[in-house]
Amino acid sequence: MTTTTASTVTTATELEDILAAAHEAAGPWGALRPAQRADILDNVAAALDAAAEELIPLAARETNLTNGRLTGELKRTTFQLRLFGEVLRDGGYLDARIDHADPDWPMGAPRPDLRRAQRPIGPVLVFAASNFPFAFSVAGGDTASALAAGNPVILKAHSGHPELSVRTARIVVSCLRAAGAPEGVFALIEGTEAGSAALRDPRIKAGSFTGSIQGGRALMDIAVSRPDPIPFYGELGSNNPVFVTEKAAAARGPRIAEEFVASFTLGAGQFCTKPGTIFVPAGSGMVEYLRSAALPAGAALLNDRIQSGYLESLRQLSAHQHISVLAQGPDPLSDPPSPTLLLTRAEHVLAAPRELEAECFGPTAVVVEYDDESQLVPLAQSFEGQLAATIQAEDDCPVAELVQVLADKAGRVLWNQWSTGVSVTYAQQHGGPYPATTAPGTTSVGTAAIERFLRPVAFQGFPQHLLPEALQDGNPLDVPQTLNGQR
Amino acid sequence: MTTTTASTVTTATELEDILAAAHEAAGPWGALRPAQRADILDNVAAALDAAAEELIPLAARETNLTNGRLTGELKRTTFQLRLFGEVLRDGGYLDARIDHADPDWPMGAPRPDLRRAQRPIGPVLVFAASNFPFAFSVAGGDTASALAAGNPVILKAHSGHPELSVRTARIVVSCLRAAGAPEGVFALIEGTEAGSAALRDPRIKAGSFTGSIQGGRALMDIAVSRPDPIPFYGELGSNNPVFVTEKAAAARGPRIAEEFVASFTLGAGQFCTKPGTIFVPAGSGMVEYLRSAALPAGAALLNDRIQSGYLESLRQLSAHQHISVLAQGPDPLSDPPSPTLLLTRAEHVLAAPRELEAECFGPTAVVVEYDDESQLVPLAQSFEGQLAATIQAEDDCPVAELVQVLADKAGRVLWNQWSTGVSVTYAQQHGGPYPATTAPGTTSVGTAAIERFLRPVAFQGFPQHLLPEALQDGNPLDVPQTLNGQR
């Protein structure tokens, strides 16, 4: 295991300068036309791609992730920056609505001329994650969507990859500066105290976070207990359960077992969408298929803190009286730890869901035998909010009700696919009820993520030349406009 | 002044039954097709219209509001229910997005078939307001939008109009029942303790509130400190300042003075959008026009609590060393209180903005003289978040910058109009940064209000027959679908 390099810490004086600059940059950055910000995001993407040969080895050294994985993640990250550029050029994200004055509006009073569009919310504080040193870190999804929306970003670096963070931030800042973006539109800060001080500062208008339930909740509590509370978009923990029907087990049990192992051990189990529990029919052979599935070799976890947290979670799960070990590599408690499959039964999960459905961040999953498919719905209901939930099935019995229950619990429901690997698309939803996230109406992946960093404003009775361009009759930006309720 | 009738209190046992029924009703109510819910909302609207002759006198007796005002408010309320029906029939609110599988998706990994739409968030707890006994109460905007979105509603009645609340709720419940809606989809609860107990209950998935900063913040604190925090949409306090430019004062000073008086005394100043401050150029005659404008007679406030709160706010404002009385009716401290106009200067507001910009709920406003238009921008910047802000101007100097600053501060910016009288439309925005609301990205008036009570879910790799209808290729609901990012 690599020992984490001690990161420097942003001082109070430095933080004050950064906050003041972000506050000053908000107006000019938000006032750029969306297509201008898109061009700048494209430049940032190109500069990061061009720096791949420097950044990937640095990331590998600080995170223990493989070059292959990191190469794909950087590609995803720069794709994401460009995709938000596409969102900006399209302009639909502005949700421009124009109601003309209507003296006969049936409300009982004349309707004034009202025009509403989204505006940047203001400087955003983004807390980087440890497990995606590119895609959920310095130039990751939250930075991309908040900058795209027209907000300055202050990025609290994750201590797990400090050198990579500093280097990535330098590339971002230098690109922004070269493109003529206002000074202060992006800055990196380091250290827990600087992060929480920034979150308390009135110049920060929204916060976002990807990480643990404990860490995320502590930050959310700061954000909502400010004299002026602000939106806080935390993506916290998730178990991402998998439900295998009897017919699916009969039709393709060995393949399901193999794919499940591949999914829960991907990236050494360090994905927020790692499937942590699989419900399988007793007597179907699934338990045996899983017991005999080839577990991959152990891989070093991200850092010492993740390693010790993983071992503690594994210890707690294993200590439960109704948990036994189903399969395990040679060194489950070592560094790197071999993967582990635990085994229990449905009635035990129903009796102690919070213990047995807890997230275990690392290469461990729990296999749960059930006796009857009628148990699947109460089992699904026993979960807290989830990022994802998966059904492996052949037909629709008893699946229709299960789909509804899982849609009530999770942000994404999968059918015969696996929850690891979250595609960045227009229809993606990476969110869910608490504790999956602190803001169930939002997503942190996909184009809809930009909505988190916007705020609608209506202009009543305004002359054309003082309206935002998106709301002018001439529509100089050529954005989609909803006119009198008609798209 | 009418003494408020003591309202009954919902017991813990009654509340448990109501919560259990709402929880049970969520599935079937949310599963109705949107057009079916629209038909039911239309029925509720028709039943309330039909009961106008009973409801309006009851409301007048409990609130001291005039029959004319209440007649208009009831019309607005039933219009609102029907407008959300229109939203449901249109289907755009579902934000249906379909991404087909794409093996060549440039992210670096094949894109799965992903389909995302909005779903009901779950049972909603609505706290009614005192000042709109129809439009922001039992069958008001939050009830309409939450029911439309597919959620059961538990309505915490305001103690200011208990009989009207009970009677309105009976009409709503009876309409819902007659239409075959699931039992428990709507229920009234009474009493502060029942309200906060309901807000703590895990079966409640969102809360909404219209009222004071103090009351709203206390409820928000409950919602966000639950073991499972939930979204809380509070509309709290606002000053809604008005900025009069020199040229506007010169061109139409007397008319501005007259219209301002009409706006701040409308409904005895008991609107959340009442303009509480007007900035006028010194030496323009505006102060004299305002001093000599005819103040209307005093009108009884909603109830004793509002009356005593108003007198306390007036006392605090008047006690400020730099505040003097500009104009006042004969009985400013009586019941009913005559309107009051106070006077101060810009530099005093800048020196003590929190004191001099505080909301005074009732027929008082503060006139602020400024010496130079260059003061308008810092004055605008000195405000906290607002529901509305108004510019009275003739040209665009120095207005362009002022518009930007006010758009940063307020949910709605008006040009030569008045903020009282919030039209219910597609482009309305009734919201704003804290303390105007606790959720700056949302509105509580207008069709976009439905977004507060929805949660997106993505379905990955699903067979057609198990997808929500809005996401099926055949589009049986004929809703707008975004296909591969194209509307």
Side-chain angles (χ1 to χ4, degrees):
Chain A
M1 160 129 339
T2 319
T3 304
T4 302
T5 310
S7 59
T8 56
V9 164
T10 304
T11 66
T13 313
E14 288 164 343
L15 179 61
E16 172 54 33
D17 290 347
I18 286 169
L19 286 162
H23 178 72
E24 286 303 313
W29 179 245
L32 288 183
R33 285 185 160 175
Q36 293 175 293
R37 289 200 301 272
D39 290 345
I40 296 174
L41 293 181
D42 282 353
N43 287 352
V44 173
L48 292 170
D49 278 339
E53 285 188 21
E54 176 198 356
L55 297 178
I56 289 169
L58 185 49
R61 180 158 55 79
E62 289 192 312
T63 65
N64 296 318
L65 296 170
T66 65
N67 277 4
R69 147 74 192 271
L70 290 165
T71 302
E73 192 188 322
L74 179 57
K75 183 164 185 180
R76 170 208 176 101
T77 304
T78 58
F79 168 75
Q80 194 159 249
L81 286 158
R82 293 187 182 98
L83 187 64
F84 280 111
E86 192 186 298
V87 167
L88 293 181
R89 292 187 184 97
D90 172 76
Y93 82 99
L94 291 165
D95 190 19
R97 301 172 181 220
I98 298 177
D99 292 341
H100 294 130
D102 180 354
D104 303 318
W105 186 233
M107 192 184 94
R111 184 173 81 186
D113 185 282
L114 269 168
R115 295 163 190 245
R116 177 188 195 260
Q118 297 285 354
R119 278 173 66 88
I121 196 168
V124 175
L125 178 64
V126 176
F127 289 83
S130 64
N131 60 338
F132 281 88
F134 293 120
F136 288 82
S137 189
V138 176
D142 287 354
T143 297
S145 52
L147 281 177
N151 306 293
V153 167
I154 296 179
L155 190 295
K156 157 67 174 65
H158 196 284
S159 58
H161 46 273
E163 285 185 45
L164 177 68
S165 299
V166 168
R167 188 65 197 111
T168 308
R170 277 194 196 134
I171 293 170
V172 172
V173 168
S174 125
C175 260
L176 290 167
R177 190 172 287 151
E183 284 296 313
V185 76
F186 181 87
L188 191 82
I189 62 173
E190 294 173 274
T192 308
E193 272 197 40
S196 55
L199 190 56
R200 287 188 175 90
D201 193 278
R203 288 165 289 195
I204 291 295
K205 301 302 184 190
S208 77
F209 169 88
T210 306
S212 70
I213 294 180
Q214 199 188 348
R217 182 65 186 257
L219 292 173
M220 176 191 162
D221 289 345
I222 291 175
V224 298
S225 59
R226 289 168 38 139
D228 58 330
I230 53 170
F232 185 78
Y233 305 106
E235 190 228 292
L236 315 185
S238 192
N239 182 292
N240 313 302
V242 179
F243 299 80
V244 182
T245 66
E246 290 170 6
K247 286 191 184 165
R252 52 194 168 91
R255 198 178 122 206
I256 290 172
E258 187 186 312
E259 290 178 353
F260 175 72
V261 169
S263 185
F264 96 78
T265 60
L266 188 71
Q270 300 167 111
F271 286 98
C272 44
T273 54
K274 180 202 84 172
T277 305
I278 187 166
F279 295 96
V280 301
S284 66
M286 277 305 305
V287 168
E288 290 68 36
Y289 302 142
L290 285 158
R291 190 197 319 267
S292 55
L295 293 176
L301 300 190
L302 289 160
N303 54 54
D304 293 339
R305 223 174 108 196
I306 298 285
Q307 165 83 7
S308 60
Y310 166 68
L311 293 183
E312 175 59 20
S313 299
L314 177 55
R315 192 195 60 72
Q316 283 184 17
L317 265 177
S318 308
H320 193 279
Q321 57 173 327
H322 295 299
I323 281 274
S324 59
V325 172
L326 177 64
Q328 213 161 34
D331 301 301
L333 305 179
S334 294
D335 178 2
S338 310
T340 291
L341 271 176
L342 302 174
L343 181 66
T344 188
R345 287 182 50 78
E347 60 270 24
H348 304 315
V349 172
L350 290 171
R354 289 298 82 80
E355 291 93 318
L356 293 177
E357 294 169 357
E359 184 182 18
C360 177
F361 195 78
T364 282
V366 179
V367 178
V368 183
E369 279 190 302
Y370 66 83
D371 291 323
D372 190 289
E373 284 179 340
S374 66
Q375 293 174 285
L376 292 181
V377 165
L379 283 166
Q381 282 166 333
S382 75
F383 277 87
E384 297 183 280
Q386 300 293 319
L387 291 170
T390 298
I391 299 171
Q392 295 285 340
E394 291 292 301
D395 58 18
D396 57 358
C397 173
V399 165
E401 195 188 346
L402 185 59
V403 173
Q404 296 313 308
V405 173
L406 292 179
D408 281 343
K409 292 286 179 181
R412 182 168 52 119
V413 188
L414 297 95
W415 180 267
N416 293 347
Q417 300 196 6
W418 299 96
S419 51
T420 40
V422 181
S423 195
V424 181
T425 83
Y426 313 102
Q428 186 57 276
Q429 172 59 25
H430 190 61
Y434 192 88
T437 77
T438 61
T442 66
T443 181
S444 63
V445 178
T447 56
I450 197 171
E451 295 168 13
R452 295 174 298 165
F453 303 117
L454 296 164
R455 184 173 75 76
V457 174
F459 296 85
Q460 182 173 331
F462 262 69
Q464 289 289 316
H465 71 286
L466 287 173
L467 283 168
E469 286 182 303
L471 295 176
Q472 294 175 6
D473 289 339
N475 196 7
L477 299 181
D478 195 26
V479 301
Q481 292 179 328
T482 299
L483 291 176
N484 303 315
Q486 304 297 311
R487 275 171 300 274
Chain B
M1 160 130 339
T2 319
T3 304
T4 303
T5 311
S7 59
T8 56
V9 164
T10 304
T11 65
T13 313
E14 288 164 344
L15 179 61
E16 172 54 33
D17 291 348
I18 286 168
L19 286 162
H23 178 72
E24 286 302 312
W29 179 247
L32 288 182
R33 285 184 160 175
Q36 292 175 293
R37 288 200 301 272
D39 290 345
I40 296 174
L41 294 181
D42 282 352
N43 288 350
V44 173
L48 292 169
D49 278 339
E53 287 188 18
E54 177 198 356
L55 297 179
I56 288 168
L58 186 51
R61 180 156 57 77
E62 289 192 313
T63 65
N64 296 319
L65 296 171
T66 65
N67 277 3
R69 146 74 193 269
L70 291 165
T71 301
E73 191 187 324
L74 180 56
K75 184 165 184 180
R76 171 208 176 100
T77 305
T78 58
F79 168 76
Q80 194 158 250
L81 285 158
R82 293 186 182 98
L83 187 64
F84 280 112
E86 191 186 297
V87 168
L88 293 181
R89 291 186 184 97
D90 171 77
Y93 82 100
L94 291 165
D95 190 19
R97 301 172 180 219
I98 298 177
D99 291 341
H100 295 130
D102 180 354
D104 302 319
W105 187 233
M107 191 184 96
R111 183 173 82 186
D113 185 282
L114 269 169
R115 294 162 189 247
R116 178 186 194 260
Q118 297 285 355
R119 280 171 64 89
I121 198 169
V124 176
L125 177 64
V126 177
F127 289 82
S130 65
N131 60 338
F132 280 89
F134 293 120
F136 288 82
S137 188
V138 176
D142 287 355
T143 297
S145 51
L147 282 177
N151 306 294
V153 168
I154 296 178
L155 191 293
K156 157 67 174 63
H158 197 283
S159 58
H161 46 274
E163 286 184 45
L164 177 68
S165 299
V166 167
R167 188 65 197 113
T168 308
R170 277 194 196 133
I171 293 170
V172 173
V173 167
S174 126
C175 260
L176 290 167
R177 191 173 285 151
E183 284 296 314
V185 76
F186 181 86
L188 190 81
I189 62 173
E190 294 173 275
T192 307
E193 273 198 38
S196 55
L199 190 55
R200 287 187 174 92
D201 192 278
R203 288 164 291 195
I204 293 295
K205 301 300 186 191
S208 76
F209 168 89
T210 307
S212 69
I213 294 181
Q214 198 186 352
R217 183 64 188 258
L219 292 173
M220 177 192 162
D221 289 345
I222 292 175
V224 299
S225 59
R226 290 169 34 139
D228 58 330
I230 53 171
F232 184 79
Y233 305 107
E235 190 226 293
L236 316 183
S238 193
N239 182 293
N240 313 301
V242 179
F243 299 81
V244 182
T245 65
E246 291 169 5
K247 286 192 184 164
R252 52 194 168 89
R255 195 177 125 207
I256 290 172
E258 186 187 312
E259 291 178 352
F260 175 72
V261 168
S263 184
F264 96 78
T265 60
L266 187 72
Q270 300 167 109
F271 285 98
C272 45
T273 54
K274 181 202 85 170
T277 305
I278 186 166
F279 295 96
V280 300
S284 65
M286 277 303 308
V287 168
E288 290 67 37
Y289 302 141
L290 285 158
R291 191 198 319 270
S292 56
L295 293 175
L301 300 190
L302 289 159
N303 55 54
D304 293 338
R305 223 174 108 195
I306 298 286
Q307 166 81 9
S308 59
Y310 167 67
L311 293 182
E312 174 59 21
S313 299
L314 178 54
R315 192 195 60 72
Q316 283 185 16
L317 265 176
S318 307
H320 192 278
Q321 59 172 329
H322 296 298
I323 281 274
S324 58
V325 173
L326 177 65
Q328 210 159 36
D331 301 301
L333 304 179
S334 295
D335 177 4
S338 310
T340 290
L341 271 177
L342 302 174
L343 180 66
T344 188
R345 287 183 49 79
E347 59 271 26
H348 304 314
V349 172
L350 289 172
R354 289 298 80 79
E355 291 93 316
L356 293 177
E357 294 168 359
E359 185 181 17
C360 177
F361 195 77
T364 282
V366 179
V367 178
V368 183
E369 279 190 301
Y370 66 83
D371 291 322
D372 191 289
E373 284 180 341
S374 66
Q375 292 174 284
L376 292 180
V377 164
L379 283 165
Q381 282 167 333
S382 75
F383 278 86
E384 296 183 282
Q386 299 293 319
L387 292 170
T390 297
I391 299 170
Q392 296 285 341
E394 291 293 297
D395 58 16
D396 55 359
C397 174
V399 166
E401 194 188 348
L402 185 59
V403 174
Q404 296 314 308
V405 173
L406 292 178
D408 281 343
K409 291 285 179 182
R412 182 167 52 118
V413 187
L414 298 93
W415 179 267
N416 293 346
Q417 301 196 7
W418 299 97
S419 52
T420 40
V422 181
S423 195
V424 180
T425 82
Y426 312 103
Q428 186 56 278
Q429 172 60 24
H430 190 59
Y434 192 89
T437 77
T438 61
T442 66
T443 180
S444 63
V445 178
T447 55
I450 197 171
E451 296 168 13
R452 296 174 297 165
F453 303 118
L454 296 164
R455 183 173 75 76
V457 175
F459 296 85
Q460 182 174 331
F462 262 69
Q464 289 288 317
H465 70 286
L466 287 174
L467 282 168
E469 286 182 303
L471 295 177
Q472 294 174 8
D473 289 338
N475 195 6
L477 299 181
D478 195 26
V479 300
Q481 293 179 328
T482 300
L483 292 176
N484 303 316
Q486 304 297 312
R487 276 170 300 273

